[in-house]
Amino acid sequence: MARPARDETAARALRPRIRPGKITKIEDSKVGQLLTLLDRSGVPQRLEAMLQGRPGPAGVRPRTVLAGLLLAAYFTGKATVAEAWRILHFRLEPRARTWLGIPHEPPATARESIAGSRRLYRGLDRITTLLDPARCNRRSRLPMDMADAYADAWHVPSGRQAAEQLQHLANQLVLAPVRLAQQRGYLRGWHGDVGVDATPIPVLADPDKERAGTASVEITAGWHYSAGADEGTFGYSASFVVAAHRRRPGERAGKPLAYPQLCLGLVLDTPTVRVGRNAVTALTQLTELGFPAGTCAADRAYTGCAPENFQIPVRRLGYRLALDYKAENRGKQGSWRGALLVDGSLACPHMPTTLAQATQGAKDEAVHMPSEELQQAVEERAPYFLKTKQGPDAQGAIRLHCPAAGPSPSVNCARRDRLRPRKPRSSTPPPTVVNLADSRSRAAHPAARPTVQLPAEEWLSLPPPEELPAVCGKSDITVPADAYGDRMVAKFRQDDHYLTAAWTTSYKPIRSHNEGIHGRLKSDEIDIGNPKHRPAPGQVAQTLLVAILVTVGNLDILETWLYQRTGTHLTDTDYTTVPTPRKPHPGPIESTGRPPPLAD
């Protein structure tokens, strides 16, 4: 039977189109699992509570909108309303339709199809309007001055509060599979090491047009320049925190650790803006789950942050830092209580100049592929570094002492011996014969240690203790996380000596895990780098859609890891045991959705 003329015209103009040959039913069990995971994230409940009392028709519930997008991302790799509409109205069984409030029968006419898709679009629009600090028309270009006013609304206190709530909700989605893995014990083999890095998230919109005086539709987007790239990517930057590990002493090379390498945090923001703060936001939300804090490795984009925005808060969260430096920041970097800061480590104030400056101004090529001469210098300066007397406390402060002090000194120092004469361990005279076959005996002998070269005048008269550096005159020195405002020490200090074997086995493996998660999330199956897989415009929509794609990516990593190890799949019980977030975000934020006032 032929369609009526009006319905036939509507069917030809139908967007999104129906693909009858590819309509396959989705099992209720999988819909139930994904819906349980979504509910356990707490995001749908939070959004529906925030929408209470807002004007306008209720429309499609946020739970249904997010469930459709999550199903679309899981089964098609695309977080689009079109795919969500096809799945919700044509691929679900009656029982699953009841769970989501979808009519039991698919649309019978083209007009019903158009009406159903528009309701879904309006449902997503209602969510993005709620979370947007200043809603504007995202389908046409605005004049530059008007667009700047809307963009500035993200930086005022109320805008930052709204942005933090958006980031919190997005992270709750991403962490839902992580909580599942934690609850089932799949993360027992992970020791808390993390890598933080940012990757570009391109958008469909074109950048600003200076000649026409119009801004991009993506008013808060910008240019992301990856390391070593001459051309930028217009869009957003996604800051990722990934579960990683460093090679520990005694661990066999290549031995895999028994944990899935999941994405543990996501923050989407304008490129080059709040780089360090975004990483801290994700790490803070991660610590609320009770995970251990290990080593945090970050590239030079994070080393260049103001210390109060990255290094200090990360140390106070309990993480050890593994950092890299730009060429102009290598070598001598400052001092603390008389100790030299050399490539992020505090050292004896009389470390030989040639060793302290071994990496001074060294180019990246010379550091990434060190010569034998540089490797030897790195090894020779290791004994001069201060030793840890006490690890970081709750505020991230550590205590260090002179390398000539303690039961196992690494250097000989006449100044130290004069100020604090070493007490003999026994009443018997020291042995005059050394067992050369015993490596520990050889290393303990003073002749095997380098000797600190003091100024010539000091050999004639010892200066008063108050005139000597604190690192020499005191038993130990304390280095707070913020170094009491010494920006160089707070900014560049790290926990493993730069370019040593310990630093290499921490920094490089963790950084490789960052690149691995980027490749996994930008693969053919789930490509967060393809803007056609998340076409909805605006930072709010892009944040939610990227979070949904990363959530599905995490779930895929977890399912693959479990199947490869045990040959089993996640069950309904696994999903129902996922705990809900312990610490919900503060109460709803006042938002009118109206444009901000323009500056005079």
Side-chain angles (χ1 to χ4, degrees):
M1 182 178 178
R3 284 179 180 269
R6 292 180 61 187
D7 196 49
E8 182 180 350
T9 302
R12 290 177 179 176
L14 178 61
R15 297 292 187 276
R17 292 188 180 278
I18 304 174
R19 306 176 70 184
K22 294 193 175 183
I23 295 178
T24 55
K25 295 297 182 180
I26 298 175
E27 296 180 358
D28 288 343
S29 59
K30 179 52 67 176
V31 177
Q33 290 175 355
L34 294 178
L35 194 55
T36 300
L37 189 71
L38 178 64
D39 289 337
R40 294 304 173 97
S41 73
V43 175
Q45 299 89 325
R46 178 65 183 159
L47 290 175
E48 292 182 4
M50 293 171 64
L51 285 170
Q52 289 290 335
R54 287 182 65 89
V60 180
R61 295 177 60 191
R63 181 173 182 261
T64 303
V65 176
L66 295 177
L69 292 170
L70 189 64
L71 288 165
Y74 188 86
F75 287 101
T76 70
K78 301 176 182 179
T80 65
V81 178
E83 293 294 347
W85 171 76
R86 293 188 185 103
I87 288 176
L88 290 176
H89 287 277
F90 295 95
R91 297 184 60 182
L92 298 187
E93 299 287 357
R95 189 180 178 190
R97 291 171 179 270
T98 302
W99 294 338
L100 294 169
I102 301 295
H104 283 195
E105 296 296 330
T109 66
R111 291 182 178 276
E112 291 179 2
S113 297
I114 293 173
S117 66
R118 287 180 177 174
R119 282 195 294 270
L120 201 60
Y121 277 105
R122 285 196 297 269
L124 177 61
D125 186 73
R126 198 159 181 256
I127 295 172
T128 56
T129 300
L130 171 71
L131 299 175
D132 203 323
R135 173 60 186 268
C136 65
N137 184 1
R138 297 191 299 261
R139 297 192 177 276
S140 62
R141 289 176 172 271
L142 299 175
M144 292 290 292
D145 56 347
M146 186 179 294
D148 289 343
Y150 279 108
D152 290 342
W154 286 78
H155 305 294
V156 299
S158 61
R160 291 313 309 154
Q161 187 182 10
E164 289 171 6
Q165 179 167 242
L166 171 64
Q167 293 167 355
H168 186 273
L169 292 173
N171 241 348
Q172 290 298 83
L173 289 171
V174 171
L175 288 175
V178 177
R179 286 197 297 272
L180 190 158
Q182 180 189 29
Q183 185 69 17
R184 305 305 291 174
Y186 301 142
L187 290 173
R188 285 193 299 265
W190 177 57
H191 299 290
D193 299 325
V194 296
V196 297
D197 198 10
T199 188
I201 303 295
V203 294
L204 289 175
D206 294 326
D208 300 344
K209 293 185 177 180
E210 299 292 342
R211 290 186 178 180
T214 56
S216 173
V217 172
E218 298 281 356
I219 59 173
T220 56
W223 290 97
H224 179 110
Y225 289 90
S226 300
D230 296 328
E231 296 184 1
T233 301
F234 184 73
Y236 298 96
S237 289
S239 298
F240 284 114
V241 176
V242 59
H245 74 272
R246 56 189 176 91
R247 194 171 300 151
R248 287 167 171 76
E251 180 179 305
R252 296 198 305 270
K255 179 183 177 182
L257 295 179
Y259 72 92
Q261 293 171 0
L262 301 171
C263 174
L264 305 176
L266 162 72
V267 176
L268 196 80
D269 206 345
T270 307
T272 71
V273 175
R274 292 176 290 272
V275 175
R277 292 179 183 176
N278 290 337
V280 173
T281 297
L283 288 171
T284 302
Q285 198 165 344
L286 178 63
T287 58
E288 295 170 1
L289 297 181
F291 285 120
T295 297
C296 175
D299 63 11
R300 290 173 295 182
Y302 294 87
T303 308
C305 293
E308 60 271 16
N309 292 337
F310 179 69
Q311 292 89 336
I312 295 173
V314 170
R315 290 191 187 103
R316 286 177 175 168
L317 288 173
Y319 288 95
R320 305 170 76 251
L321 284 175
L323 306 172
D324 194 9
Y325 306 109
K326 296 181 180 179
E328 60 269 23
N329 298 135
R330 295 186 177 117
K332 287 186 178 181
Q333 299 164 325
S335 64
W336 175 259
R337 309 293 298 275
L340 296 178
L341 182 67
V342 180
D343 284 333
S345 297
L346 291 169
C348 170
H350 293 292
M351 173 188 277
T353 303
T354 55
L355 298 182
Q357 297 181 347
T359 57
Q360 198 83 31
K363 302 298 182 183
D364 293 341
E365 297 78 9
V367 169
H368 295 159
M369 299 292 291
S371 62
E372 293 184 7
E373 182 181 359
L374 179 57
Q375 289 178 341
Q376 183 178 358
V378 169
E379 293 175 2
E380 290 179 355
R381 71 185 185 182
Y384 292 91
F385 288 124
L386 304 190
K387 295 186 176 182
T388 302
K389 185 174 184 179
Q390 185 177 19
D393 58 16
Q395 296 299 318
I398 61 172
R399 292 170 63 194
L400 305 175
H401 66 74
C402 168
S408 301
S410 56
V411 295
N412 304 315
C413 180
R415 176 188 291 175
R416 188 73 185 184
D417 293 340
R418 292 176 182 177
L419 290 172
R420 297 176 178 272
R422 189 179 300 277
K423 295 180 181 180
R425 295 186 179 181
S426 64
S427 58
T428 60
T432 58
V433 179
V434 179
N435 182 8
L436 298 179
D438 186 0
S439 60
R440 295 184 65 181
S441 298
R442 295 198 310 270
H445 196 277
R449 301 192 291 262
T451 299
V452 175
Q453 299 300 316
L454 299 174
E457 61 272 12
E458 190 168 334
W459 293 102
L460 301 176
S461 61
L462 181 66
E466 58 270 12
E467 295 182 7
L468 294 175
V471 68
C472 299
K474 296 183 178 296
S475 60
D476 60 72
I477 59 173
T478 300
V479 188
D482 59 356
Y484 294 141
D486 189 314
R487 294 183 67 82
M488 293 299 100
V489 177
K491 184 183 184 75
F492 294 125
R493 182 173 66 83
Q494 59 177 314
D495 295 275
D496 289 320
H497 304 320
Y498 189 56
L499 299 183
T500 61
W503 180 86
T504 301
T505 55
S506 292
Y507 183 80
K508 291 188 176 181
I510 295 177
R511 290 287 301 142
S512 69
H513 291 317
N514 272 114
E515 300 302 325
I517 200 73
H518 294 169
R520 188 74 178 262
L521 296 177
K522 291 185 176 181
S523 63
D524 294 334
E525 296 179 3
I526 301 173
D527 188 0
I528 65 172
N530 188 344
K532 293 183 179 180
H533 290 181
R534 36 170 183 79
Q539 184 172 339
V540 176
Q542 288 292 299
T543 299
L544 293 176
L545 297 182
V546 171
I548 287 172
L549 288 170
V550 174
T551 303
V552 171
N554 264 348
L555 193 57
D556 178 65
I557 292 172
L558 180 58
E559 289 177 331
T560 303
W561 177 86
L562 183 63
Y563 181 77
Q564 290 174 345
R565 283 185 56 83
T566 65
T568 60
H569 301 273
L570 293 174
T571 63
D572 293 348
T573 304
D574 293 324
Y575 287 90
T576 54
T577 56
V578 179
T580 54
R582 301 175 186 173
K583 198 173 181 181
H585 196 275
I589 294 173
E590 194 68 29
S591 176
T592 62
R594 297 174 182 173
L598 295 177
D600 294 333

